[in-house]
């Protein structure tokens, strides 16, 4: 056999034996078993082998046993393979030809006693099949997915035994025996039927190459072949050795791919193509593997990373910037040495692409531009310095001077540019590449950061979505330096202070919702502010006045909302809201002294007891 014509070099011995078994007229009276794990490529190998046999004018019936629960279904599947014209929907002849024609051609013996089983209701149809449609010596039977057949495995082997022993049909059975529960009956049937057993050796390179060759887009196929090493590396790194899933992922990428996505000024950008391809492979295969909770990049939450005693604030900031909010998220990002930004697209867009099969071209273009092409187009100073090892000394000195002035003059308009610039300076200082003091630059940068950082209502702390908006995928050079960690802590505090500045206004909005929109009030208290002590900034006088003036059903709804809020999550954070209840209860008791009869009833018998119950039940001081 010529080496170049082999399907798989590591499995050369299997191919050579199958040639020996299937070619020639020797009657073996046994079947061959090919064993291998799911996704190892054994089915791919067999289908390639089938192509070779068909080219030699062999007639091959390939039958998948997956999900089959009756032998009649196997009859039908074989008949479709042997007689494709008669097996078509148009030629079922009132639904009788399938079983009748097959039973007329073959006598089925399930129990291996060499006698046709009479209880199957076999009867020959009143038709004659031309000789050229009948099974002959060139016929090969291949049964795949034995382990997935819903019949008892020993029953299936007994069924197959007839073809081998009585009709001398050469038969190959493909299985993952690790998934078959062995028993005496199965062992006996197997011993009688199987004459040669082989274990398929995974041949990853040739399998991946074959799958890439199935990509119809010739341009993309060529690019993927050029990136073969990247494809193989990520396939192995995910560790999900399932070639079926890999094939699905490659075809999904072909559907997603448009050359224009990766072009800038008429030039194809290999770097961003490689990054998107890597992200696509990782996220798609990990998703098929079942790593994510419900959506792409959604991880199982835990309390470990939320415990202030276990993790210092700087580490929490750095983890947040990497998209880490749980132990699973941390393991995932560390596995690939990635941050959330390295995946380029937002988790929401990835979920649309990979889970919902939605391809919104405009969203793809917009996110690619914002995250990758815009910084290249604007050529931020820190971005140029990020590649400082490629610079000449004069160019390096000029860019450092330019970056220094941008901090001193507060000319930067993007918070990420500020953080990256400071990161570069601290790194250069640590490595003796610059010699001027940086302390003054830190102070200037912190003030400038506070001036321009946008406060997002749903982000109470500094996080990745704030600091890296519009950022390229590059990390911070100085991320491990103490001075940079201190800088992150300070800008994080600046952001929180800026958020808190609007808390009184947020409190006024909540009071308005108590009066006018009970449903939205509940949503905000149990959602937006679920783990945030927003009531700490509520004016207790305004709170009491609102409860007394609004419709009673709204007041009762508001109090029920507050009670359910604490009941859902008894968090120490809520202790900060205890003072509101202390003061509100005192104010209501004072009002009792001068209230009219109806208001006194409302306070004494309805509102006051409920507020006291909330305080005593949920807001006890330890």
């Amino acid at each position: 056999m010529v080496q170049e014509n082999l399907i798989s070099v590591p499995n050369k011995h299997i191919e050579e034996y199958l040639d020996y078994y299937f070619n020639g007229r020797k009657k073996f009276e046994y079947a061959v078993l090919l064993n291998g794990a799911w996704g190892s490529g054994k089915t791919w190998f067999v289908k390639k082998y089938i192509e070779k046999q068909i080219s030699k004018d062999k007639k091959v019936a390939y039958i998948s046993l997956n999900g089959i629960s009756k032998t009649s279904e196997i009859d039908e599947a074989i008949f479709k393979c042997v007689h494709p014209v008669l097996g078509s929907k148009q030629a079922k002849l009132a639904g009788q030809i399938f079983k009748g024609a097959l039973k007329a051609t073959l006598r089925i013996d399930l129990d291996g006693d060499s006698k046709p089983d009479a209880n199957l209701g076999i009867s020959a149809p009143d038709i004659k099949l031309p000789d050229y449609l009948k099974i002959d010596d060139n016929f090969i039977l291949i049964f795949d997915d034995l382990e997935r057949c819903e019949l008892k495995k020993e029953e299936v082997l007994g069924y197959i035994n007839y073809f081998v022993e009585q009709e001398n049909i050469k038969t190959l059975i493909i299985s993952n025996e690790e998934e078959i529960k062995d028993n005496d009956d199965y062992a006996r049937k197997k011993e009688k039927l199987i004459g040669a057993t082989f274990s398929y050796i995974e041949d990853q390179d040739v399998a991946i190459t074959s799958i890439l060759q199935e990509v119809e887009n010739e341009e993309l196929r060529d690019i993927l072949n050029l990136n073969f090493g990247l494809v193989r590396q990520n396939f192995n790194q995910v560790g999900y050795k399932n070639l079926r899933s890999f094939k699905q992922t490659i075809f999904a990428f072909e559907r997603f791919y448009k050359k224009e996505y990766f072009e800038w000024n008429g030039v194809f950008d290999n770097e961003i193509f490689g990054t998107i391809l890597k992200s696509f492979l990782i996220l798609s295969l990990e998703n098929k593997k079942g790593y994510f909770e419900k959506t792409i990049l959604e991880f199982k939450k835990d309390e470990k990373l939320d415990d202030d005693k276990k993790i210092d604030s700087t580490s929490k900031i750095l983890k947040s910037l990497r998209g880490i909010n749980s132990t699973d998220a941390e393991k995932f990002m560390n596995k690939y040495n990635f941050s959330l930004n390295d995946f380029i697209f937002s988790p929401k867009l990835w979920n649309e692409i990979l889970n919902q099969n939605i391809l919104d071209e405009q969203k793809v273009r917009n996110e690619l531009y914002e995250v990758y092409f815009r910084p290249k187009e604007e050529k931020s100073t820190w971005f140029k310095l990020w590649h400082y090892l490629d610079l000449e000394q004069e160019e390096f000195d000029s860019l450092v001077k330019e970056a220094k002035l941008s901090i001193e003059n507060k000319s930067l308009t993007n918070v990420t540019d500020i953080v990256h610039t400071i990161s570069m300076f601290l790194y250069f200082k640590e490595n003796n590449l610059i010699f001027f003091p940086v302390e003054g630059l830190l102070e200037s940068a912190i003030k400038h950061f506070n001036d321009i950082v946008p406060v997002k209502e749903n982000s109470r702390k500094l996080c990745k979505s704030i600091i890296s908006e519009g950022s390229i995928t590059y990390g911070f050079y100085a991320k491990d330096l103490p001075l940079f960690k201190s800088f992150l802590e300070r800008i994080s505090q600046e952001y929180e202070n800026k958020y808190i500045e609007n808390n009184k206004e947020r409190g006024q909005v909540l009071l308005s919702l108590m009066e006018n929109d009970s449903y939205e009030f509940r949503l905000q208290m149990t959602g937006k502010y679920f783990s945030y002590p927003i009531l700490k900034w509520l004016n207790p006088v305004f709170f009491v006045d609102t409860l007394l003036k609004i419709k009673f059903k709204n007041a009762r709804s508001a109090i029920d909302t507050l009670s359910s809020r604490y009941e859902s999550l008894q968090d120490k954070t809520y202790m900060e809201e205890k003072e509101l209840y202390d003061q509100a209860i005192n104010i209501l008791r004072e009002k009792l002294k001068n209230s009219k009869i109806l208001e006194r009833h409302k306070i004494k018998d309805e509102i006051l007891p409920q507020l006291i119950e909330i305080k005593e039940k949920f807001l006890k001081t330890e």
Side-chain angles (χ1 to χ4, degrees), residues 264-281:
W264 192 251
N265 295 328
V267 178
F268 188 84
D269 192 314
N270 289 300
E271 181 182 29
I272 188 60
F273 173 83
T275 302
I276 294 296
L277 174 61
K278 177 178 181 178
S279 300
F280 202 104
L281 291 169

Side-chain angles (χ1 to χ4, degrees), residues 307-319:
D307 192 335
D308 292 334
K309 293 181 180 179
K310 294 181 181 178
I311 298 180
D312 62 82
S313 58
T314 305
S315 297
K316 290 178 74 175
I317 296 168
L318 289 170
K319 288 177 186 295

Side-chain angles (χ1 to χ4, degrees), residues 325-492:
N325 59 3
S326 72
T327 303
D328 278 355
E330 185 170 26
K331 288 178 181 177
F332 183 83
M333 296 302 179
N334 289 342
K335 177 179 179 180
Y336 298 104
N337 194 26
F338 256 29
S339 296
L340 200 56
N341 269 0
D342 293 320
F343 290 106
I344 306 294
F345 299 142
S346 64
K348 182 179 179 181
L349 181 54
W350 275 121
N351 194 59
E352 287 183 3
I353 295 169
L354 297 176
N355 263 347
Q356 300 173 357
N357 295 307
I358 298 172
L359 296 181
D360 190 320
E361 291 187 27
Q362 196 55 51
K363 282 185 181 179
V364 172
R365 294 177 190 276
N366 289 346
E367 292 203 13
L368 275 172
Y369 176 77
E370 273 303 312
V371 177
Y372 184 80
F373 289 114
R374 183 187 67 80
K376 280 195 162 189
E377 181 182 35
E378 295 179 358
K379 295 181 179 177
S380 305
T381 306
W382 70 263
F383 176 64
K384 297 175 186 177
L385 283 169
W386 208 91
H387 301 278
Y388 73 97
L389 289 173
D390 295 326
L391 301 175
E392 297 294 335
Q393 184 66 49
E394 294 75 13
E395 188 179 5
F396 174 79
D397 292 340
S398 176
L399 288 172
V400 167
K401 183 178 180 181
E402 183 181 325
K404 185 170 180 287
L405 286 173
S406 71
I407 296 294
E408 291 173 340
N409 297 335
K410 299 181 180 179
S411 60
L412 299 175
T413 58
N414 187 296
V415 293
T416 301
D417 291 344
I418 295 175
V419 181
H420 267 292
T421 303
I422 291 299
S423 172
M424 300 305 300
F425 280 143
L426 294 176
Y427 179 81
F428 292 155
K429 185 71 173 178
E430 178 73 13
N431 289 277
N432 298 314
L433 296 173
I434 59 175
F435 302 97
F436 53 82
V438 295
E439 290 75 15
L441 293 175
L442 291 176
E443 296 303 320
S444 180
I446 290 168
K447 290 178 182 177
H448 187 37
F449 177 90
N450 187 48
D451 291 339
I452 69 170
V453 65
V455 173
K456 294 191 173 184
E457 276 299 307
N458 292 327
S459 299
R460 299 185 293 271
K461 295 180 180 294
L462 187 67
C463 63
K464 170 256 168 191
S465 63
I466 297 166
I467 202 169
S468 59
E469 187 168 311
S471 168
I472 201 164
T473 60
Y474 297 99
F476 297 116
Y477 262 96
K479 65 180 180 180
D480 296 323
L481 299 181
L483 205 52
F484 183 67
K485 291 181 178 180
S486 173
F487 172 75
L488 286 179
E489 282 187 333
R490 291 188 62 187
I491 62 173
S492 178

Side-chain angles (χ1 to χ4, degrees), residues 143-372:
F143 294 96
D144 198 356
D145 300 312
L146 173 64
E147 75 281 358
R148 295 182 178 181
C149 185
E150 294 181 10
L151 288 164
K152 290 182 178 179
K153 306 305 178 285
E154 55 270 25
E155 183 178 354
V156 179
L157 293 185
Y159 175 95
I160 295 173
N161 184 70
Y162 171 80
F163 298 106
V164 175
E165 194 172 83
Q166 300 301 315
E167 296 292 333
N168 293 312
I169 297 173
K170 293 169 183 177
T171 303
L172 174 64
I173 302 170
I174 309 163
S175 176
N176 176 11
E177 287 207 297
E178 289 184 3
E179 299 298 322
I180 295 177
K181 293 181 179 179
D182 206 344
N183 59 60
D184 291 341
D185 289 338
Y186 174 77
R188 280 195 298 270
K189 291 290 185 184
K190 179 182 172 183
E191 183 180 2
K192 179 179 180 181
L193 174 63
I194 305 300
T197 300
F198 294 92
S199 293
Y200 182 77
I201 301 170
E202 182 180 328
D203 191 354
Q204 194 178 87
D205 282 6
V206 72
I208 292 175
T209 299
S210 177
I211 290 170
L212 296 185
Q213 287 306 114
E214 293 187 50
V215 172
E216 293 181 359
N217 185 319
E218 185 176 350
E219 175 187 74
L220 175 60
R221 186 168 67 242
D222 291 342
I223 299 172
L224 289 173
N225 283 321
L226 287 172
N227 286 274
F228 182 86
L230 175 68
V231 173
R232 179 178 56 190
Q233 176 189 348
N234 285 284
F235 178 68
N236 286 323
Q237 192 171 12
V238 172
Y240 187 45
K241 301 298 183 65
N242 189 308
L243 289 173
R244 290 189 185 95
S245 294
F246 173 73
K247 187 174 185 177
Q248 292 168 6
T249 294
I250 291 296
F251 288 174
F253 186 78
E254 181 181 19
R255 177 173 175 260
F256 160 83
Y257 172 80
K258 280 186 170 43
K259 185 179 180 181
E260 304 80 56
Y261 290 161
F262 309 104
E263 289 184 328
W264 192 251
N265 295 328
V267 178
F268 188 84
D269 192 314
N270 289 300
E271 181 182 29
I272 188 60
F273 173 83
T275 302
I276 294 296
L277 174 61
K278 177 178 181 178
S279 300
F280 202 104
L281 291 169
I282 290 171
L283 297 177
S284 176
L285 291 172
E286 289 284 9
N287 190 45
K288 292 178 184 298
K289 189 178 171 183
Y291 195 93
F292 304 123
E293 278 286 275
K294 296 176 182 176
T295 60
I296 303 297
L297 289 169
E298 178 181 324
F299 302 93
K300 182 180 179 181
K301 295 287 189 298
D302 58 42
E303 298 178 359
K304 182 178 179 182
L305 295 176
D306 294 326
D307 192 335
D308 292 334
K309 293 181 180 179
K310 294 181 181 178
I311 298 180
D312 62 82
S313 58
T314 305
S315 297
K316 290 178 74 175
I317 296 168
L318 289 170
K319 288 177 186 295
S320 177
L321 295 179
R322 292 187 62 204
I324 293 173
N325 59 3
S326 72
T327 303
D328 278 355
E330 185 170 26
K331 288 178 181 177
F332 183 83
M333 296 302 179
N334 289 342
K335 177 179 179 180
Y336 298 104
N337 194 26
F338 256 29
S339 296
L340 200 56
N341 269 0
D342 293 320
F343 290 106
I344 306 294
F345 299 142
S346 64
K348 182 179 179 181
L349 181 54
W350 275 121
N351 194 59
E352 287 183 3
I353 295 169
L354 297 176
N355 263 347
Q356 300 173 357
N357 295 307
I358 298 172
L359 296 181
D360 190 320
E361 291 187 27
Q362 196 55 51
K363 282 185 181 179
V364 172
R365 294 177 190 276
N366 289 346
E367 292 203 13
L368 275 172
Y369 176 77
E370 273 303 312
V371 177
Y372 184 80

Side-chain angles (χ1 to χ4, degrees), residues 540-549 559 580-595 599-612:
V541 174
F542 294 163
F543 175 64
V544 169
D545 288 346
T546 301
L547 282 175
L548 293 178
K549 76 175 183 179
I559 294 173
L580 170 72
Y581 292 90
D582 288 338
Q583 294 187 40
I585 289 168
N586 289 336
I587 292 170
L588 286 168
R589 283 171 174 162
E590 285 297 316
K591 282 185 174 289
L592 280 175
K593 298 176 181 178
N594 302 307
S595 295
E599 185 178 67
R600 186 182 302 118
H601 167 66
K602 184 190 293 187
I603 295 172
K604 181 181 178 183
D605 299 322
E606 298 292 342
I607 295 177
L608 187 56
Q610 292 185 61
L611 292 183
I612 291 173

Side-chain angles (χ1 to χ4, degrees), residues 442-590:
L442 291 176
E443 296 303 320
S444 180
I446 290 168
K447 290 178 182 177
H448 187 37
F449 177 90
N450 187 48
D451 291 339
I452 69 170
V453 65
V455 173
K456 294 191 173 184
E457 276 299 307
N458 292 327
S459 299
R460 299 185 293 271
K461 295 180 180 294
L462 187 67
C463 63
K464 170 256 168 191
S465 63
I466 297 166
I467 202 169
S468 59
E469 187 168 311
S471 168
I472 201 164
T473 60
Y474 297 99
F476 297 116
Y477 262 96
K479 65 180 180 180
D480 296 323
L481 299 181
L483 205 52
F484 183 67
K485 291 181 178 180
S486 173
F487 172 75
L488 286 179
E489 282 187 333
R490 291 188 62 187
I491 62 173
S492 178
Q493 189 59 55
E494 289 294 327
Y495 179 83
E496 290 184 45
N497 292 341
K498 196 168 183 178
Y499 184 91
I500 288 171
E501 287 176 5
N502 297 324
N503 275 345
K504 290 183 178 179
E505 289 77 5
R506 293 185 183 98
Q508 290 300 317
V509 170
L510 288 174
L511 292 178
S512 176
L513 291 176
M514 282 172 56
E515 180 176 3
N516 302 307
D517 193 341
S518 296
Y519 179 72
E520 182 61 28
F521 176 74
R522 175 176 286 272
L523 284 181
Q524 295 214 13
M525 293 309 298
T526 58
K528 180 178 178 180
Y529 300 119
F530 182 49
S531 59
Y532 184 69
I534 186 63
L535 300 184
K536 175 181 177 180
W537 285 274
L538 223 60
N539 184 305
V541 174
F542 294 163
F543 175 64
V544 169
D545 288 346
T546 301
L547 282 175
L548 293 178
K549 76 175 183 179
I550 64 179
K551 291 181 179 179
F552 181 68
K553 69 172 185 177
N554 291 345
R556 184 167 55 191
S557 174
I559 294 173
D560 288 344
T561 293
L562 295 176
S563 180
S564 63
R565 161 179 159 87
Y566 297 119
E567 196 164 39
S568 299
L569 179 61
Q570 297 181 38
D571 194 297
K572 292 180 180 178
T573 304
Y574 294 152
M575 289 299 107
E576 297 181 47
E577 297 179 343
K578 179 177 177 296
E579 187 176 350
L580 170 72
Y581 292 90
D582 288 338
Q583 294 187 40
I585 289 168
N586 289 336
I587 292 170
L588 286 168
R589 283 171 174 162
E590 285 297 316

